Amino acid sequence: MPAERPAGTENHRGRALALRTRLLAAMLAPLLGIAVLLGLAGATLIADVVRRTNDRVLGGALGAVAETVQVERGEVTMDLPAAAFGMLENSERDNVYYRIAVGERLLTGYAGLSAPRIADLAIDTPRFRYASYRDQPIRIAEVRRDLPRIDGPVIVQVAETLDGRRALQRRLLVALLLGEVLLVGVAMLLIRPALGWSLRPLARLRGTVAARDTRATPDLSPLATGPLPVELFPLAEAFDHLLARLDTATAGIRRFTADASHQMRTPLAVLKVQVALARRGDPAALGEIADAADRLERLVTQLLALARAEEAGASPPRARVDVREVVVAVINRRIGQAIEAGVDIHLDAPEADVAIAGHRTLLFEILSNLLDNAIRYNGDGGMITIGIAEAGGSVTLSVADNGPGLPDADLDRVGQRFVRLATSAGREGSGLGLAIVRSATQRLGGRIEFRNTRPGFRVTLHFDDVVTDRIAAVGDD
């Protein structure tokens, strides 16, 4: 049965547009924008081409008419060629107008046609302009000619309506619009399968992840996705890293559970036997029950401390920890045990405060286990020295005894979980004390060193983060 999601998870996550839709919109939006820009540029170009082409024909008709204007016997004569006006014929049957005048005097043509300012016209240079005649827009081509023995300039004008021009421009614009619509439509048809092909590695990655959910036992090995695009490679790599961390965490839980069940089986069996003896009236069983309960309590306490020391995830919050204050608190906690064992405790620390950036609870657990081990494995009348030193931006914390020490061959095994060395024979313990010390020190970013001092054994901790008031003290969790 799948695990239930916490309330409100789905609301916080929300639902966004599909990745395929986002990519399609991201590709089509610029394409449509380019199509609009091309349409505007094409419309401007079409209007210019239509104007130039028709003006060329209109100018040709003007030139043909102007060439027939001559001077005979001091009079202006002309012979209007039919071919000149035939050049302007088109399917829209545009109206054609002309006007020939000498100065302001009309010789022939349409009197109402808009006359130019003579001073604005250059000699023998055609000019084109728009005007209106009979409530219709027209295009006029006009030229000025100076003939000999004629007092005023001769003005020749030829004009036509714009229906043909507009019809040609509309046909070209429709063709341009259809071409752009066809281009965008074909692009849309091709982009969708292209997006499907492009997103296929993502679908393969999703399928690989989903396939893990169908297996009876969790598979936390790296994803076997095959080659991936560079955009998906960081995602797969991050997911593999998450799987590796999860595998480490679950392996730690499985190992912790197995070790705890194994270690707790013996004191529980002893406890059950003593309870049975107590029921039979054995008075000594009550003392054994109390001892077994104490051993079981100590084992559970150390197991919980080890679990906290090996807790996966982010490092604990950094706070200003007064090392001397923690050492004094640990000594006060263990002083009764030391007196009972006949062991003296000596503190070698500077008068000034020495602080590190760490976590008070973990440091307390480290020192408590070190002092407990030193008391247990030291002889009657022994001495334990706890030293605190600060030099070169580093704090050194050491716990040394003058007991029997360890064989050199066992130094590499010190700090392993549930490892009982030869010197531990006949003494109570679970082999967790120095394992807690090693794990907690690593979580605090420190270094640990084990050394025989002959006689005795020394554990030295090194912390590099020395602080004064840079990190304010905060409460422990």
Side-chain angles (χ1 to χ4, degrees):
M1 180 176 180
E4 295 183 359
R5 292 184 179 180
T9 300
E10 295 182 358
N11 294 335
H12 287 302
R13 179 173 295 178
R15 184 178 295 274
L17 288 175
L19 186 59
R20 186 189 300 271
T21 303
R22 294 166 65 93
L23 290 174
L24 187 62
M27 298 178 71
L28 286 181
L31 182 61
L32 291 176
I34 293 174
V36 170
L37 292 177
L38 288 178
L40 294 175
T44 303
L45 181 61
I46 286 173
D48 185 66
V49 169
V50 170
R51 179 183 60 80
R52 289 175 178 274
T53 301
N54 284 271
D55 281 354
R56 190 175 293 112
V57 176
L58 185 61
L62 175 66
V65 173
E67 289 296 330
T68 64
V69 179
Q70 303 293 332
V71 178
E72 293 183 3
R73 299 174 184 176
E75 296 290 335
V76 177
T77 63
M78 67 207 70
D79 182 13
L80 298 178
F85 296 102
M87 296 169 59
L88 302 176
E89 290 182 357
N90 53 51
S91 58
E92 278 69 30
R93 298 184 180 277
D94 276 320
N95 295 326
V96 179
Y97 308 102
Y98 68 94
R99 177 177 179 273
I100 301 175
V102 177
E104 300 294 337
R105 179 169 60 87
L106 178 65
L107 295 181
T108 183
Y110 296 84
L113 199 61
S114 174
R117 290 180 55 193
I118 297 176
D120 294 341
L121 293 178
I123 299 174
D124 295 328
T125 301
R127 187 183 73 167
F128 300 87
R129 62 186 175 92
Y130 290 102
S132 178
Y133 183 62
R134 295 180 179 178
D135 297 328
Q136 287 184 307
I138 60 174
R139 181 72 166 170
I140 300 177
E142 51 197 9
V143 67
R144 170 183 172 180
R145 297 193 65 191
D146 287 346
L147 301 179
R149 299 185 300 279
I150 300 299
D151 295 337
V154 177
I155 305 300
V156 181
Q157 294 177 289
V158 178
E160 65 174 350
T161 54
L162 305 180
D163 293 340
R165 297 181 181 225
R166 290 175 176 173
L168 177 60
Q169 188 170 343
R170 281 195 301 270
R171 288 194 295 272
L172 293 176
L173 287 175
V174 169
L176 175 63
L177 180 61
L178 290 177
E180 290 193 340
V181 170
L182 180 63
L183 176 64
V184 173
V186 171
M188 290 182 64
L189 292 177
L190 295 179
I191 285 175
R192 291 193 66 85
L195 287 178
W197 175 79
S198 301
L199 296 176
R200 194 173 300 164
L202 184 60
R204 186 171 68 247
L205 179 62
R206 181 187 61 188
T208 303
V209 175
R212 300 288 180 94
D213 196 33
T214 61
R215 302 179 183 177
T217 57
D219 184 2
L220 301 179
S221 61
L223 296 175
T225 58
L228 287 176
V230 293
E231 294 82 3
L232 290 182
F233 188 79
L235 175 62
E237 195 174 40
F239 196 80
D240 285 342
H241 180 65
L242 178 62
L243 288 177
R245 293 185 61 185
L246 185 59
D247 189 29
T248 302
T250 54
I253 293 174
R254 290 193 298 268
R255 184 173 65 250
F256 178 81
T257 304
D259 292 342
S261 62
H262 173 73
Q263 293 295 322
M264 294 178 68
R265 189 178 296 119
T266 299
L268 285 175
V270 172
L271 192 60
K272 289 176 64 177
V273 170
Q274 297 303 325
V275 168
L277 292 176
R279 286 176 176 175
R280 295 176 184 177
D282 187 351
L286 294 178
E288 295 294 334
I289 290 174
D291 291 342
D294 289 340
R295 289 196 297 272
L296 185 60
E297 179 187 13
R298 171 179 170 78
L299 176 61
V300 171
T301 301
Q302 287 195 315
L303 285 172
L304 293 176
L306 180 61
R308 179 159 53 180
E310 293 185 346
E311 181 182 353
S315 299
R318 287 159 49 93
R320 185 181 186 278
V321 179
D322 187 340
V323 178
R324 183 188 181 94
E325 181 271 328
V326 176
V327 170
V328 171
V330 171
I331 292 175
N332 291 334
R333 173 71 65 87
R334 296 290 181 181
I335 191 66
Q337 180 185 359
I339 293 174
E340 184 177 348
V343 174
D344 292 334
I345 300 176
H346 175 67
L347 176 60
D348 182 9
E351 293 296 332
D353 290 342
V354 177
I356 64 172
H359 192 268
R360 187 183 184 281
T361 300
L362 288 181
L363 185 60
F364 186 93
E365 203 69 49
I366 291 171
L367 292 173
S368 180
N369 279 277
L370 287 178
L371 190 55
D372 176 64
N373 269 19
I375 293 173
R376 286 175 178 274
Y377 299 109
N378 207 342
D380 186 14
M383 170 72 72
I384 297 174
T385 302
I386 301 177
I388 303 174
E390 178 184 354
S394 176
V395 172
T396 301
L397 181 61
S398 63
V399 177
D401 61 60
N402 57 355
L406 292 176
D408 293 337
D410 287 342
L411 288 178
D412 292 338
R413 302 174 60 207
V414 175
Q416 297 181 11
R417 297 156 56 93
F418 300 106
V419 171
R420 301 275 289 164
L421 304 177
T423 54
S424 302
R427 303 174 187 266
E428 293 184 2
S430 58
L432 288 175
L434 293 180
I436 294 172
V437 171
R438 181 185 292 276
S439 296
T441 303
Q442 290 175 350
R443 288 202 69 201
L444 291 178
R447 305 185 308 280
I448 188 168
E449 179 185 354
F450 303 103
R451 179 184 299 175
N452 281 315
T453 55
R454 308 198 192 286
F457 184 71
R458 178 191 298 271
V459 180
T460 306
L461 308 176
H462 301 277
F463 298 99
D464 294 331
D465 290 334
V466 180
V467 297
T468 53
D469 294 327
R470 290 183 289 111
I471 302 180
V474 297
D476 289 321
D477 51 19

